[in-house]
Amino acid sequence: MNDRVLGLFALLLAALLAWKGWDLQAPFSYEPVGPRAFPLLLATVIAGCGAWLLVRGREHAEPNPPGANTRIAAMAALVTGYALAFVSLGFIVSTALMATLVGRLFGGRWHHCAIGGAGLGLGLYLLFDKVFEVVLPMGVLNFGS
């Protein structure tokens, strides 16, 4: 595969993301931007990168090193699992689990990954909840409130 094929796939992904994100509407407005801003912004960035690869990508891409495709597939599975567990487990637990497993995927030690994952989950929760005032699901940590 060369870079132009990847650029074409990126443009198709951006078009799909923009098409699906365009209809997103919240039942009530709790944030000034609204839910469609993030997928449309992401689609714009992906489309820009895809267009750049389509125009400038003339090189034949080198094949991935051994084991890289397995790690890429595992990463995609982790992201899918994160999206599926996000509401039921809550932001802190699901983010900590994902960060721990991603750290292990890149060869980190279990205790370092677990400590880093817990810190990342809690730190990002405090950042989004206290600074940006974004409501995040608590999941299993919702103790009766």
Side-chain angles (χ1 to χ4, degrees):
M1 178 185 321
N2 65 25
D3 289 344
R4 287 187 172 156
V5 175
L6 181 62
L8 181 64
F9 280 119
L11 286 175
L12 292 173
L13 176 66
L16 176 69
L17 193 59
W19 176 55
K20 292 301 242 180
W22 189 260
D23 291 335
L24 288 178
Q25 292 188 10
F28 57 91
S29 180
Y30 55 90
E31 295 173 355
V33 178
R36 81 168 67 161
F38 182 72
L40 292 179
L41 179 65
L42 193 58
T44 303
V45 171
I46 291 173
C49 293
W52 185 79
L53 283 174
L54 202 60
V55 172
R56 302 281 302 178
R58 293 180 225 140
E59 304 291 326
H60 180 74
E62 295 292 324
N64 289 334
N69 290 339
T70 304
R71 286 194 301 273
I72 291 170
M75 189 69 198
L78 283 173
V79 170
T80 303
Y82 179 69
L84 293 174
F86 186 77
V87 174
S88 60
L89 291 180
F91 179 83
I92 296 173
V93 173
S94 60
T95 301
L97 280 174
M98 169 134 172
T100 300
L101 295 174
V102 167
R104 287 291 300 156
L105 196 62
F106 284 93
R109 294 185 177 181
W110 273 110
H111 62 281
H112 291 159
C113 295
I115 291 169
L120 185 69
L122 186 60
L124 286 177
Y125 176 79
L126 291 174
L127 177 69
F128 279 100
D129 187 60
K130 303 300 181 197
V131 177
F132 298 134
E133 297 181 1
V134 174
V135 178
L136 295 171
M138 290 301 295
V140 295
L141 298 179
N142 191 5
F143 302 113
S145 60

